[in-house]
Amino acid sequence: MATTAKSAAEFVPASQDLARLREAAAGCRGCDLYRDATQTVFGEGTRKARTMMIGEQPGDQEDRRGEPFVGPAGRLLDRALDESGIDREGVYVTNAVKHFKFRRDERGSRRIHKKPGRTEIVACRPWLDAELASVQPDLVILLGATAAQALFGPDFRITERRGEVLELPGDHDAKAVATVHPSSILRSRERDEAYAAFVADLKAAVAVL
């Protein structure tokens, strides 16, 4: 017997009000990640934002606080936005997957990030579509491969399309630019160079506006 693919679709309300969407997302059971995560981490920002930034998934600190991009990667993103001349208050930030996926270390005391699978990315896509429909940004900046593949499919490669101005697929009338996720800069052995390239990507992206 064929199994039905998991999806958040049944939990997404028809309303385009962000507060209503956030409230509904708190009870999402569209995939199994909710079982271990502390809470749903929905997007944040004004509905009038011209720019939307999409990351992979919440991290440990985001999961505990219920806010996107508030951990080390978020602090690096804030600095890069400032240097790029982008006001974060005017940006809507979210993730392709709304629950933290992790594994425990050998002692069981630390939660270590685990990359979400294609099933989880697809299951969470209805929330991303709802956010796009509500905010209707002019520009979408995709932070990392997971975010880019959530919208452009699993064959999308950041290494090949980084910095390219793309047409967002579907009914969304927006441009998209893909770059790396801030967390990859934190892991880089050449952090200064990686950070400078990231800032350059952000400056080039907002030039689209």
Side-chain angles (χ1 to χ4, degrees):
M1 179 182 293
T3 57
T4 303
K6 293 180 179 295
S7 175
E10 65 180 283
F11 299 94
V12 181
S15 171
Q16 290 190 350
D17 179 72
L18 284 174
R20 178 72 186 93
L21 290 171
R22 184 176 294 107
E23 179 183 357
C28 184
R29 303 293 183 265
C31 75
D32 292 335
L33 293 184
Y34 79 91
R35 299 181 185 277
D36 296 322
T38 303
Q39 59 193 313
T40 303
V41 181
F42 203 68
E44 285 196 350
T46 173
R47 186 175 178 180
K48 297 179 180 179
R50 295 186 66 196
T51 301
M52 178 183 286
M53 305 192 83
I54 304 173
E56 179 187 89
Q57 66 165 358
D60 181 75
Q61 292 187 35
E62 288 82 1
D63 174 69
R64 297 180 191 279
R65 292 172 54 178
E67 303 172 62
F69 288 97
V70 293
R75 290 191 289 274
L76 186 145
L77 177 62
D78 284 344
R79 182 159 63 94
L81 289 174
D82 185 60
E83 291 187 25
S84 305
I86 303 172
D87 180 11
R88 178 163 170 172
E89 294 300 316
V91 176
Y92 185 89
V93 293
T94 191
N95 285 296
V97 174
K98 311 301 190 200
H99 286 107
F100 180 34
K101 183 176 182 178
F102 62 91
R103 62 178 177 83
R104 296 280 182 181
D105 66 6
E106 293 180 357
R107 296 181 178 181
S109 58
R110 290 182 60 234
R111 303 190 301 174
I112 301 172
H113 165 277
K114 189 175 181 181
K115 185 180 177 67
R118 186 66 190 166
T119 298
E120 293 145 350
I121 295 168
V122 171
C124 212
R125 173 67 186 267
W127 290 117
L128 199 53
D129 283 335
E131 289 173 296
L132 285 164
S134 178
V135 178
Q136 297 185 22
D138 296 318
L139 172 66
V140 176
I141 301 177
L142 302 162
L143 303 173
T146 297
Q149 291 170 3
L151 293 179
F152 287 96
D155 294 331
F156 189 95
R157 295 291 178 267
I158 293 287
T159 52
E160 299 173 2
R161 312 291 298 272
R162 179 176 181 174
E164 183 180 343
V165 179
L166 307 165
E167 296 288 339
L168 205 63
D171 298 328
H172 308 299
D173 185 20
K175 303 293 186 184
V177 175
T179 184
V180 297
H181 194 283
S183 63
S184 70
I185 300 171
L186 296 174
R187 298 191 300 269
S188 175
R189 294 182 178 180
E190 300 177 340
R191 186 178 297 185
D192 290 343
E193 291 83 352
Y195 177 77
F198 180 58
V199 171
D201 284 346
L202 295 181
K203 288 181 177 179
V206 295
V208 173
L209 297 176

